[in-house]
Coordinates of all heavy atoms in Angstrom, one line a residue:
Chain A
A5 N 3.8 7.0 3.0 CA 3.9 8.3 2.9 C 4.2 9.2 4.0 O 4.7 10.3 3.8 CB 2.6 8.8 2.3
R17 N 7.3 30.5 3.7 CA 6.9 31.5 2.7 C 5.4 31.6 2.7 O 4.7 30.6 2.6 CB 7.3 31.0 1.3 CG 7.1 31.9 0.2 CD 8.1 31.6 -0.9 NE 8.2 30.2 -1.2 CZ 7.5 29.6 -2.2 NH1 6.7 30.4 -2.9 NH2 7.6 28.3 -2.4
T19 N 1.7 32.2 1.5 CA 1.0 32.0 0.2 C 1.1 33.3 -0.5 O 0.6 34.3 0.1 CB -0.4 31.5 0.3 OG1 -0.4 30.6 1.4 CG2 -0.9 30.9 -0.9
H38 N -6.4 30.1 -15.2 CA -7.6 29.6 -14.7 C -8.3 28.7 -15.7 O -8.8 27.7 -15.3 CB -8.5 30.7 -14.2 CG -8.4 31.2 -12.8 ND1 -8.6 30.4 -11.8 CD2 -7.8 32.3 -12.3 CE1 -8.3 31.0 -10.7 NE2 -7.8 32.2 -11.0
L41 N -6.5 25.5 -15.7 CA -6.7 24.7 -14.5 C -8.1 24.1 -14.5 O -8.4 23.0 -14.1 CB -6.5 25.5 -13.2 CG -5.0 25.7 -12.9 CD1 -4.9 26.8 -11.8 CD2 -4.4 24.4 -12.5
M48 N -10.1 15.7 -15.1 CA -9.8 14.8 -14.0 C -11.1 14.2 -13.4 O -11.3 13.1 -13.0 CB -9.1 15.5 -12.9 CG -7.6 15.8 -13.1 SD -6.6 14.3 -13.3 CE -6.5 13.8 -11.6
L67 N -24.5 4.0 -23.0 CA -23.2 3.9 -23.8 C -23.2 4.8 -25.0 O -22.1 4.9 -25.7 CB -23.0 2.5 -24.2 CG -22.6 1.5 -23.0 CD1 -22.5 0.1 -23.5 CD2 -21.4 1.9 -22.4
R129 N 13.7 -2.9 27.2 CA 14.8 -3.7 26.5 C 14.3 -4.1 25.1 O 13.2 -4.5 25.0 CB 15.2 -4.9 27.4 CG 16.7 -5.1 27.3 CD 17.1 -6.1 28.4 NE 17.0 -5.5 29.7 CZ 16.7 -6.2 30.8 NH1 16.4 -7.5 30.7 NH2 16.6 -5.6 32.0
Q153 N -0.7 -16.6 5.9 CA -1.7 -16.0 6.8 C -3.1 -16.7 6.5 O -3.8 -17.0 7.4 CB -1.8 -14.5 6.5 CG -1.8 -13.6 7.7 CD -2.0 -12.2 7.3 OE1 -3.0 -11.8 6.8 NE2 -1.0 -11.4 7.6
E156 N -3.0 -20.0 8.1 CA -3.2 -19.9 9.5 C -4.7 -19.7 9.9 O -5.2 -20.4 10.8 CB -2.5 -18.6 9.9 CG -1.8 -18.6 11.3 CD -0.9 -17.4 11.4 OE1 -1.2 -16.3 11.0 OE2 0.2 -17.6 12.0
R190 N 6.2 12.6 19.2 CA 7.4 13.3 19.3 C 7.3 14.7 19.4 O 8.1 15.5 19.9 CB 8.3 12.8 18.2 CG 8.8 11.5 18.3 CD 10.0 11.3 17.4 NE 10.6 10.0 17.6 CZ 11.1 9.2 16.7 NH1 11.1 9.5 15.4 NH2 11.6 8.0 17.1
G191 N 6.1 15.2 18.8 CA 5.9 16.6 18.9 C 5.1 17.1 20.1 O 4.9 18.3 20.3
N258 N -18.2 -6.4 -7.7 CA -17.4 -7.1 -8.7 C -18.3 -8.3 -9.2 O -18.3 -8.7 -10.4 CB -16.1 -7.7 -8.1 CG -15.3 -8.4 -9.1 OD1 -15.0 -8.0 -10.1 ND2 -15.1 -9.7 -8.7
Q291 N -11.6 17.1 4.5 CA -10.7 17.6 3.6 C -9.5 18.3 4.2 O -8.3 18.2 3.9 CB -11.3 18.7 2.7 CG -11.6 18.2 1.3 CD -11.9 19.4 0.5 OE1 -11.0 20.0 0.0 NE2 -13.2 19.6 0.3
T301 N 0.8 14.7 2.8 CA 1.7 13.8 2.2 C 1.1 13.0 1.1 O 1.8 12.3 0.4 CB 2.3 12.9 3.2 OG1 1.3 12.4 3.9 CG2 3.3 13.7 4.0
G302 N -0.2 13.0 1.1 CA -0.8 12.3 -0.1 C -0.7 10.9 -0.3 O -0.4 10.4 -1.3
Chain B
I5 N 3.5 22.3 15.7 CA 4.4 22.1 16.8 C 5.8 22.2 16.2 O 6.2 21.5 15.2 CB 4.2 20.7 17.3 CG1 2.8 20.7 18.0 CG2 5.3 20.3 18.3 CD1 2.2 19.4 18.2
T10 N 10.6 19.0 20.0 CA 10.2 17.6 19.8 C 11.1 16.6 20.7 O 10.6 15.5 21.0 CB 10.5 17.1 18.3 OG1 11.8 17.5 18.0 CG2 9.5 17.7 17.5
Y27 N 5.8 -3.3 28.2 CA 5.4 -4.5 27.5 C 3.9 -4.8 27.4 O 3.3 -5.3 26.5 CB 6.1 -5.8 28.1 CG 7.6 -5.7 27.8 CD1 8.6 -5.9 28.8 CD2 8.1 -5.5 26.5 CE1 9.9 -5.8 28.6 CE2 9.5 -5.4 26.3 CZ 10.3 -5.6 27.4 OH 11.7 -5.4 27.1
V39 N 2.4 -13.3 15.1 CA 1.4 -14.1 14.4 C 1.0 -13.7 13.1 O 0.7 -14.5 12.2 CB 0.1 -14.2 15.4 CG1 -1.0 -15.0 14.8 CG2 0.5 -14.8 16.7
Y119 N -9.1 23.6 -6.7 CA -8.3 22.8 -7.7 C -7.6 21.6 -7.1 O -7.7 20.5 -7.6 CB -7.4 23.8 -8.4 CG -7.9 24.8 -9.3 CD1 -7.7 26.2 -9.1 CD2 -8.7 24.4 -10.4 CE1 -8.2 27.1 -9.9 CE2 -9.3 25.4 -11.2 CZ -9.0 26.7 -11.0 OH -9.6 27.6 -11.8
S121 N -8.3 19.9 -4.5 CA -9.3 18.9 -4.2 C -9.7 18.1 -5.5 O -9.8 16.9 -5.4 CB -10.5 19.4 -3.5 OG -10.2 20.0 -2.3
Y123 N -8.1 17.7 -8.2 CA -7.0 16.9 -8.7 C -6.7 15.7 -7.8 O -6.1 14.7 -8.2 CB -5.8 17.7 -9.0 CG -5.9 18.7 -10.2 CD1 -5.9 20.1 -10.0 CD2 -6.0 18.2 -11.5 CE1 -6.1 20.9 -11.0 CE2 -6.1 19.0 -12.5 CZ -6.2 20.4 -12.3 OH -6.3 21.2 -13.4
T151 N -17.3 6.0 -28.2 CA -18.3 6.8 -28.7 C -17.7 8.3 -28.9 O -18.0 8.9 -30.0 CB -19.5 7.0 -27.6 OG1 -19.8 5.7 -27.1 CG2 -20.7 7.6 -28.2
W181 N -4.1 8.8 -13.7 CA -5.2 9.6 -13.2 C -5.1 9.9 -11.7 O -5.7 10.8 -11.2 CB -6.5 8.8 -13.6 CG -7.8 9.6 -13.3 CD1 -8.2 10.8 -13.7 CD2 -8.9 9.0 -12.5 NE1 -9.4 11.0 -13.3 CE2 -9.9 10.0 -12.5 CE3 -9.1 7.9 -11.8 CZ2 -11.1 9.9 -11.9 CZ3 -10.4 7.7 -11.2 CH2 -11.3 8.7 -11.2
A185 N -2.1 12.4 -5.4 CA -1.4 12.1 -4.1 C 0.0 12.7 -4.1 O 0.4 13.4 -3.3 CB -1.5 10.7 -3.8
I189 N 2.1 16.0 -2.0 CA 3.4 15.9 -1.3 C 4.3 17.0 -1.9 O 5.1 17.7 -1.2 CB 4.0 14.5 -1.4 CG1 3.0 13.5 -1.0 CG2 5.3 14.5 -0.6 CD1 3.5 12.1 -0.9
L194 N 7.3 22.2 -1.9 CA 7.6 23.6 -2.5 C 7.4 24.7 -1.6 O 8.1 25.7 -1.6 CB 6.6 23.7 -3.7 CG 7.0 23.0 -5.0 CD1 5.8 23.1 -6.0 CD2 8.3 23.5 -5.6
R195 N 6.5 24.5 -0.6 CA 6.2 25.6 0.3 C 7.3 25.7 1.3 O 7.3 26.7 2.0 CB 4.8 25.5 0.9 CG 3.7 25.7 -0.2 CD 2.4 25.7 0.4 NE 2.2 26.9 1.1 CZ 1.0 27.3 1.7 NH1 0.0 26.5 1.5 NH2 0.9 28.4 2.4
F230 N 11.4 10.7 -2.2 CA 10.3 10.1 -1.3 C 9.2 9.6 -2.2 O 8.6 8.5 -2.1 CB 10.0 11.2 -0.4 CG 8.9 10.9 0.6 CD1 9.1 9.9 1.6 CD2 7.6 11.5 0.5 CE1 8.1 9.6 2.4 CE2 6.6 11.1 1.4 CZ 6.8 10.3 2.4
R251 N -11.7 -9.2 -15.5 CA -12.6 -10.2 -14.8 C -11.8 -11.3 -14.2 O -12.2 -12.5 -14.2 CB -13.6 -10.8 -15.8 CG -14.4 -9.8 -16.6 CD -15.1 -8.7 -15.8 NE -15.8 -9.3 -14.7 CZ -15.8 -8.8 -13.4 NH1 -15.1 -7.7 -13.2 NH2 -16.5 -9.3 -12.5

Side-chain angles (χ1 to χ4, degrees):
Chain A
R17 186 154 46 96
T19 321
H38 273 292
L41 282 171
M48 288 296 283
L67 287 178
R129 218 166 292 146
Q153 229 180 63
E156 216 170 40
R190 286 195 172 145
N258 181 59
Q291 254 193 83
T301 47
Chain B
I5 293 157
T10 53
Y27 292 128
V39 178
Y119 288 125
S121 301
Y123 289 112
T151 314
W181 188 54
I189 308 185
L194 283 170
R195 294 188 67 175
F230 178 69
R251 309 306 313 136

